Amino acid sequence: MKVRKMNNSLLRDTKVGEAITLTAVMAVLAAAIVAAVICSLVMSDSGTVTIPGGWNFTWS
């Protein structure tokens, strides 16, 4: 990776908060999706879940 010095105009145009904001939004969205899936599994009367690694969970 070649490093070069930035001049004042490039420094003014660089927006550093965009990546942090996008990462935060994606993290909140992922947490909401996981919470919705877990809630629907817990509230169901019976079901089976298989996750990678050979783990099987069954409840009735």
Side-chain angles (χ1 to χ4, degrees):
M1 184 160 132
K2 186 176 179 182
V3 178
R4 65 183 182 135
K5 199 170 195 174
M6 295 176 72
N7 58 20
N8 287 337
S9 66
L10 285 175
L11 289 171
R12 268 193 308 270
D13 293 338
T14 302
K15 299 193 177 22
V16 295
E18 293 174 356
I20 295 170
T21 303
L22 182 60
T23 303
V25 168
M26 293 298 286
V28 169
L29 182 63
I33 291 171
V34 169
V37 169
I38 290 174
C39 182
S40 67
L41 287 174
V42 169
M43 298 303 231
S44 66
D45 293 332
S46 64
T48 302
V49 175
T50 303
I51 58 174
W55 294 89
N56 294 321
F57 301 97
T58 305
W59 64 96
S60 53

